[in-house]
């Protein structure tokens, strides 16, 4: 039995949840999201609270129970509050700018990198003197936001020797000492 799946989801004011033919549609002030749910997982809505249950309770159903509860919870939080991730560009000469949905990154290559972001994601870049450039991404869809952040990060992953690269704000990069420290 899934402990995550048994947790109820409270629906905040201004958010509507519609369940029809194993498809959950969540509408709120930040947008609208939908998710197809496995038919073995039953969803009940009563008094602004969603409850998830399984039919048999097998190991696979228990895993799906927790999965779909988490996905729907992320949708409810996304359309009511939204999600924000901030990426930091660490390195000499690293720059970021955007024009609408087109993100331009200069991260140490001989050419700039251009990335067209999906319309569901809002992007903002900050460049301050003596501070690392920031790329601030926000969206109602947590999965899409994480996927786009991972794609941006692949352009220059943080390396452990100098710490250069694209990383999340607050992320700790474990540093290694170079060859000179080992030779002593």
């Amino acid at each position: 039995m899934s402990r995550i799946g048994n947790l109820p989801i409270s629906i905040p004011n201004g958010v509507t949840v519609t369940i029809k033919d194993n498809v959950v549609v969540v509408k709120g002030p930040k947008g609208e999201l939908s998710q197809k749910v496995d038919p073995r997982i039953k969803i009940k809505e009563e008094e602004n609270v969603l409850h998830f249950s399984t039919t048999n309770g097998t190991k696979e159903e228990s895993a799906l129970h927790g999965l779909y509860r988490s996905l729907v919870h992320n949708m409810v939080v996304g359309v009511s509050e939204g999600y924000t991730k901030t990426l930091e560009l660490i390195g000499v000469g690293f720059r970021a700018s955007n024009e609408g949905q087109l993100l331009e990154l200069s991260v140490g290559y001989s050419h700039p990198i251009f990335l067209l972001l999906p319309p569901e994601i809002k992007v903002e870049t900050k460049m301050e003197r003596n501070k690392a450039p920031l790329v601030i991404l926000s969206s109602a869809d947590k999965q899409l936001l994480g996927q786009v952040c991972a794609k941006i990060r692949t352009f220059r992953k943080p390396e452990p020797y100098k710490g250069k690269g694209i990383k999340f704000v607050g992320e700790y990069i474990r540093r290694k000492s170079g060859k000179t420290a080992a030779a002593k």
Side-chain angles (χ1 to χ4, degrees):
M1 193 141 157
S2 172
R3 284 186 250 168
I4 299 288
N6 287 333
L7 296 173
I9 300 173
S10 60
I11 302 168
N13 292 334
V15 175
T16 59
V17 177
T18 310
I19 305 162
K20 184 178 181 188
D21 297 331
N22 294 330
V23 176
V24 178
V25 179
V26 181
K27 293 180 186 173
K30 301 269 183 181
E32 177 181 336
L33 298 171
S34 64
Q35 174 68 47
K36 186 170 179 10
V37 178
D38 193 281
R40 296 175 285 183
I41 307 299
K42 304 296 177 213
I43 305 171
K44 287 191 308 188
E45 181 182 2
E46 47 190 40
E47 299 170 7
N48 288 336
V49 176
L50 289 176
H51 296 282
F52 290 75
S53 61
T54 61
T55 52
N56 294 0
T58 62
K59 192 171 185 179
E60 184 183 3
E61 281 185 16
S62 181
L64 293 175
H65 187 208
L67 169 75
Y68 285 117
R69 187 260 174 211
S70 293
L71 291 176
V72 172
H73 179 262
N74 290 343
M75 288 168 35
V76 169
V77 172
V79 298
S80 61
E81 301 167 20
Y83 290 100
T84 302
K85 295 221 181 214
T86 306
L87 295 165
E88 189 175 22
L89 283 65
I90 307 291
V92 176
F94 283 18
R95 290 189 304 276
S97 64
N98 71 304
E99 284 187 28
Q101 294 300 103
L102 186 66
L103 179 66
E104 180 184 353
L105 299 171
S106 176
V107 288
Y109 296 116
S110 62
H111 58 282
I113 297 171
F114 294 95
L115 180 67
L116 185 62
L117 299 174
E120 296 89 9
I121 292 185
K122 293 175 181 57
V123 63
E124 178 187 348
T125 55
K126 283 188 182 177
M127 299 258 301
E128 293 181 27
R129 190 170 175 87
N130 296 329
K131 289 190 179 176
L134 299 176
V135 177
I136 302 163
L137 301 167
S138 59
S139 177
D141 192 348
K142 188 175 185 180
Q143 288 177 317
L144 181 65
L145 183 65
Q147 189 175 3
V148 169
C149 286
K151 177 67 177 171
I152 292 171
R153 200 178 141 98
T154 60
F155 295 133
R156 182 70 84 175
K157 286 189 179 172
E159 53 95 18
Y161 295 102
K162 292 183 181 177
K164 292 168 52 171
I166 301 173
K167 70 179 191 81
F168 292 105
V169 169
E171 179 184 8
Y172 175 73
I173 304 297
R174 198 167 139 226
R175 301 293 294 270
K176 294 181 179 178
S177 58
K179 287 193 270 186
T180 57
K184 290 183 182 180

